[in-house]
Amino acid sequence: MRQALPGHGASRGSALGRARVRLPHALDVAEEHIEAAAVDAELIKLHTAIDTVRIEMHALRDRLHGALAHEVGEFLDLHTLLLDDPELLQGLDALIRTGLYSANYALRLQRDRLAAVFAGMEDAYFRSRIDDIDQVIGRIHAALHRRDSDVPGVAGEILVTDNVAPAELAQLQSQGVMAVVTSAGSALSHSAILARSLHLPLVVGAVLALQKINDGDVLMVDGGNGLIVLEPNAGDLRAHRLRTRELARERKQLHRLRREPTRTSDGVDIRLFANAESREDVAEAHALGAAGVGLYRTEFLFLQRNELPDEDEQFRAYRDVALGMTGRAVTIRTLDLGADKADRTGLALTDEPNPALGLRGVRLSLARDGLFETQLRAIVRASGYGPMRVLVPMVSSREEIITVRLLLKKVTHDLRSEGHEIAEHLPLGAMIEVPAAAIALPTFIGAIDFLSIGTNDLVQYTLAADRNNEALGDLYTPLHPALLRLLSMIIKTADARGKPVAVCGEMAGDALFAPLLLALGLCEFSLHPATLLEVRRAIRGCDHAQLRASAPALLRARDRQSIEKWLLQFSL
Ligand code: PEP
Ligand code: MG
């Protein structure tokens, strides 16, 4: 029967497909016993499910090609090995045979036993392997519950799960997953950012999803407004068709703006840079006429693998971004691992009590021997192929930026002596995303060449509201007087010192906020190419002088409601 489930739109696009439910890591299965006579049948049920998963993994492996085959293949091979692991299989059989547990409950017990073994390991890398066990056991559990044996492979399906890690998303897309629905998560998480980059519709915070949706159910998902319709009726299907057509029409209209300048109605030119994570993003940014790449998140090179990328591998990646942008500036952000961007290489700590306030960003790069130097060498070498800038994440003090500047100087000197052809000057910038950096900006602005405001984190740290915690609801918002005042202060300080300043958080990619950022004096935006044309259209509809004149009223706003009221006057 039709049912509408609410969620939050995190990556736009609509999808119609069958659900593939992946249960949360800690399997919530109550203790269940079977009769001695049912043991053989239970074992057959379990092993049929394991065989199904094995076949699916092989089929998936065969479908992968190109770069993904290498990256994702490694991950799949590990899971296939785990499926054949005698420890895992014999343990399950024994629980059913001698403990007279159901296959379901045996999976849960076995998972918890292995989790306890892994949790006791010294090595952070091995400790993190429990995620793989969870995924394999989760797959077997899902296969046990497949109601309908004709549910096709994952291609064309909508994944319904508790949460999804950034590293998994590319894999899911390569499997043909059309959309993802999560019961937890937030639209500001790195997973959501990556989903937008992959144009993979994502709905987060759908709290009822795992309760209500079963494997094989037909779902309609709208990643824009967050609506999920279970077993859609004729009216829903019609709405889906119309929506798909409307989106195609809108895309066509926006397409016409590809070659138009980003100029306000009163003739002020605004620069739109692109946030890029992949080669496809770079190609799209170039095609849409972005002024350059304003934020290249290098941590994606470090995810979903077990060893660190060496200098040459990093160099090739950065060089290709420079070549892809054909002479337009490319801003490479140094590694921002940590918090929700945990890697498999063991670089970032996995057991920090408060990871958002822990060893992430520049702190981690400086704490690990040789890590920063290798990355800076790769970036500086790539500067021989096009204009490059270095952007440092999570700066909180003048000392950090001075340390980076010295290291950059040393690396540049070394590379020149080694005979590399590199840029004469590589601008060094700081992400302003920690309130301390925003407030103390005058103390270190002299040591940087440009700045980029990371509103995703600046909102989180200013309002003490976790960007990934959906339970906080409206508490996480850029529409807070404290944030507007900080933004205004940063932009004024930068302007007074003649330093370019951009906003590169998700706020810059939301056309609704364009008038507000222009009013505060922002002239550079860095945003994902997926919304670049929408933001260009919004800016082209703005009167710059009128917005600037209305900035004092905006800064006087005392609460979210009055900021929204201010915005409403300018919404197009
Ligand atoms: C930000 O914090 O706004 C930002 C752009 O960095 P990230 O989202 O990668 O933390
Ligand atoms: Mg950030």
Side-chain angles (χ1 to χ4, degrees):
M1 210 184 59
R2 180 190 188 275
Q3 226 178 332
L5 306 174
H8 300 280
S11 172
R12 286 197 307 178
S14 27
L16 179 67
R18 301 185 86 174
R20 166 65 58 114
V21 178
R22 191 177 74 193
L23 291 174
H25 287 173
L27 290 180
D28 193 12
V29 179
E31 183 163 342
E32 231 177 354
H33 288 276
I34 54 167
E35 301 289 329
V39 164
D40 287 341
E42 201 67 10
L43 284 170
I44 291 175
K45 216 166 94 184
L46 173 72
H47 285 274
T48 310
I50 294 175
D51 290 342
T52 308
V53 174
R54 201 176 280 120
I55 293 167
E56 277 176 6
M57 307 245 276
H58 282 301
L60 173 58
R61 186 85 169 87
D62 292 343
R63 276 208 300 276
L64 296 174
H65 29 87
L68 278 174
H70 171 69
E71 263 178 58
V72 178
E74 196 181 298
F75 175 79
L76 283 175
D77 288 344
L78 173 70
H79 286 193
T80 311
L81 279 178
L82 283 173
L83 263 187
D84 292 325
D85 185 64
E87 188 84 19
L88 179 72
L89 298 181
Q90 284 162 15
L92 285 169
D93 287 359
L95 284 164
I96 295 175
R97 222 184 276 282
T98 48
L100 294 182
Y101 290 116
S102 68
N104 258 336
Y105 194 61
L107 278 173
R108 151 104 193 255
L109 284 178
Q110 187 66 343
R111 184 263 163 209
D112 291 350
R113 276 183 189 171
L114 292 169
V117 174
F118 278 89
M121 291 186 176
E122 288 261 311
D123 187 297
Y125 170 72
F126 283 116
R127 268 202 313 275
S128 71
R129 297 306 72 197
I130 188 60
D131 291 344
D132 296 303
I133 302 271
D134 273 337
Q135 292 202 11
V136 170
I137 290 196
R139 273 180 195 264
I140 303 174
H141 191 261
L144 263 179
H145 288 271
R146 207 151 298 152
R147 287 190 318 206
D148 200 348
S149 56
D150 71 351
V151 175
V154 287
E157 294 187 348
I158 295 173
L159 177 73
V160 181
T161 183
D162 58 336
N163 223 330
V164 65
E168 272 180 275
L169 282 168
Q171 183 205 359
L172 289 170
Q173 197 176 43
S174 76
Q175 292 168 7
V177 165
M178 301 174 62
V180 178
V181 171
T182 65
S183 55
S186 127
L188 268 302
S189 67
H190 288 100
S191 296
I193 292 172
L194 192 60
R196 291 193 279 277
S197 160
L198 296 167
H199 298 284
L200 181 67
L202 171 68
V203 172
V204 298
V207 284
L208 296 175
L210 284 170
Q211 246 168 288
K212 302 280 182 190
I213 303 172
N214 285 303
D215 247 357
D217 286 345
V218 175
L219 291 185
M220 209 175 92
V221 167
D222 187 329
N225 62 17
L227 190 68
I228 304 155
V229 180
L230 182 57
E231 301 299 343
N233 59 23
D236 295 317
L237 293 176
R238 205 169 128 253
H240 174 72
R241 208 174 46 245
L242 292 178
R243 177 95 193 106
T244 313
R245 237 184 259 158
E246 187 192 311
L247 281 175
R249 213 179 7 250
E250 193 190 332
R251 260 200 299 273
K252 217 162 146 192
Q253 277 170 358
L254 278 174
H255 200 72
R256 299 201 189 106
L257 292 180
R258 284 154 69 94
R259 311 224 177 282
E260 299 298 326
T262 312
R263 186 170 293 147
T264 61
S265 61
D266 54 340
V268 177
D269 282 319
I270 302 297
R271 282 152 66 80
L272 295 188
F273 290 84
N275 291 355
E277 271 89 56
S278 66
R279 224 177 262 190
E280 291 74 23
D281 292 343
V282 173
E284 205 180 339
H286 189 276
L288 299 180
V293 169
L295 175 67
Y296 185 79
R297 288 183 166 96
T298 58
E299 46 280 4
F300 290 111
L301 278 175
F302 289 68
L303 297 176
Q304 206 159 303
R305 56 191 297 163
N306 300 330
E307 74 300 324
L308 295 176
D310 63 12
E311 180 185 317
D312 275 339
E313 183 182 343
Q314 291 192 55
F315 156 69
R316 285 194 298 273
Y318 310 149
R319 177 202 61 194
D320 289 350
V321 185
L323 292 175
M325 290 308 288
T326 60
R328 300 179 212 172
V330 167
T331 312
I332 304 284
R333 182 175 76 179
T334 61
L335 196 56
D336 186 19
L337 276 183
D340 68 325
K341 287 176 280 192
D343 64 331
R344 294 161 151 256
T345 64
L347 253 188
L349 302 177
T350 51
D351 51 2
E352 287 182 291
N354 206 341
L357 304 183
L359 202 57
R360 69 169 280 202
V362 66
R363 303 168 180 185
L364 181 72
S365 292
L366 288 172
R368 299 279 182 267
D369 263 357
L371 178 67
F372 216 168
E373 186 160 344
T374 305
Q375 183 166 42
L376 287 178
R377 279 182 61 93
I379 301 173
V380 177
R381 277 173 62 194
S383 74
Y385 294 81
M388 285 264 156
R389 311 195 298 177
V390 180
L391 180 61
V392 186
M394 286 294 290
V395 171
S396 58
S397 70
R398 175 181 165 81
E399 295 87 318
E400 281 163 344
I401 214 68
I402 301 288
T403 311
V404 179
R405 183 144 319 266
L406 289 174
L407 195 56
L408 184 60
K409 206 166 154 192
K410 171 192 176 301
V411 162
T412 309
H413 176 267
D414 291 350
L415 288 168
R416 278 218 181 87
S417 339
E418 291 165 27
H420 288 279
E421 173 55 34
I422 55 177
E424 266 158 37
H425 172 65
L426 236 89
L428 176 67
M431 293 275 297
I432 307 299
E433 50 187 346
V434 176
I439 296 164
L441 183 59
T443 66
F444 66 88
I445 193 161
I448 53 178
D449 302 302
F450 69 99
L451 42 146
S452 196
I453 309 173
T455 43
N456 304 340
D457 278 313
L458 191 59
V459 171
Q460 150 164 281
Y461 294 125
T462 304
L463 305 184
D466 183 347
R467 64 193 262 182
N468 295 311
N469 186 347
E470 201 55 47
L472 292 174
D474 286 352
L475 282 182
Y476 181 101
T477 173
L479 302 183
H480 189 290
L483 192 87
L484 300 194
R485 283 162 200 226
L486 274 182
L487 286 176
S488 164
M489 203 168 88
I490 300 166
I491 296 168
K492 272 192 189 144
T493 309
D495 284 350
R497 299 291 295 263
K499 309 271 168 139
V501 52
V503 166
C504 65
E506 295 304 292
M507 191 183 181
D510 190 332
L512 278 178
F513 296 139
L516 182 150
L517 292 171
L518 291 178
L520 296 178
L522 192 77
C523 296
E524 290 188 3
F525 292 56
S526 189
L527 65 164
H528 191 270
T531 57
L532 192 140
L533 293 179
E534 279 168 48
V535 172
R536 178 175 289 158
R537 180 173 60 188
I539 292 175
R540 286 167 61 87
C542 287
D543 181 322
H544 193 260
Q546 188 194 10
L547 285 171
R548 292 293 285 140
S550 143
L554 173 64
L555 289 167
R556 275 197 305 272
R558 296 204 296 201
D559 50 26
R560 180 184 175 133
Q561 224 182 1
S562 22
I563 299 171
E564 281 173 347
K565 211 163 135 204
W566 181 95
L567 261 179
L568 216 57
Q569 313 165 63
F570 300 103
S571 60
L572 305 166

